[in-house]
Structures are given as structure tokens and as C-alpha cells.
Amino acid sequence: MTQDENQEKKDEGFLLPNSVVELLISDSFQRNGISMESTEPVSDENKEQMRRMIDDLSRQVTQYMDQQKKNEEERKNLVNQADYEAFMREQQRKKEQSRRMNPPAARREEARPVSRSSERAREDRLKEERVKKKKVEKRTRSTEEKKKRKKKD
């Protein structure tokens, strides 16, 4: 592997472009009064220690990033699974509600043809129910009116 390829591989791990990193480093050196003439040469042992430290740090960063990606994928799977389970519960609830609203006997009645006499009987029951509702409404209205009158007096 050439040095350019190695440099490109290292660049992929950084979030900032090289030019920005170089600017930050040179600015920090300037602020602290460090120049190329005033620096002492770094020993080979120190260079090796720095390389190992940088390698360890880059390894830790990649492990952390991989762990974050893994956690994010797990969260997405949990959300998708939770959404699916909620959807299925809702479908089951609707199915149960539909069963309660249309019991099997009523569904069978709907399926067979209605005879004239049973149709008339049904209409009569509906009329009676309407009349009862009207009477109840009348009573409630009259009691409400009486209450209003009492309040006015």
C-alpha cells in the first residue's frame, strides 16, 4: 500500500477535512508561540508511542461508531416490530368489534331472504321504538321546561 492510499484510508475516519485540521493545528501552535525553529526533534521512541496512541484512539472511535450503528439498527427494528404489533392489535380489535356488532345469528338472518310478514313485524317494532323515543323526549322537554319556569319564579 502506498502512502497516498494509506493517507486516503486515514482520511475516511476523520469527520473534518485535512485542510481544516491543518488550520486548527497551525492556529493553536501560533497562539502558544510554537514555531518550527523552536521545536526540538522528536525521538523515534516518542514517535512510536504517538503512533500507537493514535492507532488505539482510531480503533476506539471505529468501535464506538460501529456500536452506534448497531444500536441504531436495533432501535429501528424495535420500532418496526412495535409498529407491526400495534397494527396487528388494531386489526384484531376491529375484527372483534365487527363480531360484536354483527353476531352470527344476525349475519345468518341477513343472508336469507326476508318474508313479508317478518318485514312487517320488523317495521312495526321500529315504529313502536320511534313512538317510545318521542314520548321520552317529550317528557324530558316538559320536565326541563318546568325546571326553567321554577327558576324564573
Side-chain angles (χ1 to χ4, degrees):
M1 207 186 292
T2 66
Q3 190 172 359
D4 290 337
E5 291 174 352
N6 194 17
Q7 185 65 28
E8 286 177 18
K9 199 171 191 181
K10 285 182 181 179
D11 289 344
E12 291 174 7
F14 289 112
L15 299 175
L16 297 173
N18 280 339
S19 59
V20 174
V21 172
E22 288 173 9
L23 177 67
L24 290 172
I25 291 172
S26 65
D27 184 49
S28 115
F29 283 167
Q30 255 183 349
R31 287 181 185 199
N32 293 305
I34 300 172
S35 66
M36 291 299 287
E37 296 80 31
S38 67
T39 58
E40 295 177 10
V42 180
S43 69
D44 290 338
E45 185 179 308
N46 283 349
K47 286 181 184 178
E48 186 59 34
Q49 282 179 335
M50 283 188 238
R51 282 188 189 116
R52 277 186 272 146
M53 180 185 69
I54 290 171
D55 287 341
D56 287 342
L57 287 173
S58 65
R59 211 174 310 113
Q60 289 176 4
V61 166
T62 54
Q63 286 175 349
Y64 176 78
M65 295 302 287
D66 291 342
Q67 185 63 34
Q68 290 300 319
K69 286 179 185 176
K70 184 179 176 183
N71 289 345
E72 185 64 28
E73 287 174 6
E74 287 177 3
R75 262 188 245 118
K76 284 181 182 178
N77 287 340
L78 288 175
V79 167
N80 290 342
Q81 184 178 2
D83 288 345
Y84 175 75
E85 289 172 357
F87 172 76
M88 292 306 290
R89 281 193 300 270
E90 181 66 21
Q91 292 298 318
Q92 186 67 27
R93 186 188 64 76
K94 286 179 180 178
K95 193 175 187 180
E96 290 296 322
Q97 190 177 21
S98 152
R99 284 185 186 154
R100 280 187 228 120
M101 298 300 281
N102 290 328
R107 284 186 289 221
R108 274 189 252 122
E109 286 177 11
E110 290 173 2
R112 71 179 111 121
V114 180
S115 67
R116 282 259 194 224
S117 60
S118 63
E119 190 175 320
R120 284 186 192 145
R122 184 171 171 243
E123 288 175 1
D124 290 341
R125 274 184 277 142
L126 290 173
K127 284 180 184 177
E128 288 175 13
E129 288 176 12
R130 281 189 224 123
V131 168
K132 286 179 183 177
K133 283 182 184 177
K134 285 181 182 178
K135 286 181 181 178
V136 169
E137 288 174 3
K138 238 182 189 180
R139 276 190 228 131
T140 55
R141 270 191 254 129
S142 65
T143 53
E144 289 173 3
E145 289 173 0
K146 288 178 184 175
K147 288 177 183 177
K148 286 179 183 177
R149 285 186 207 138
K150 286 182 181 179
K151 285 182 182 179
K152 286 181 182 178
D153 294 340

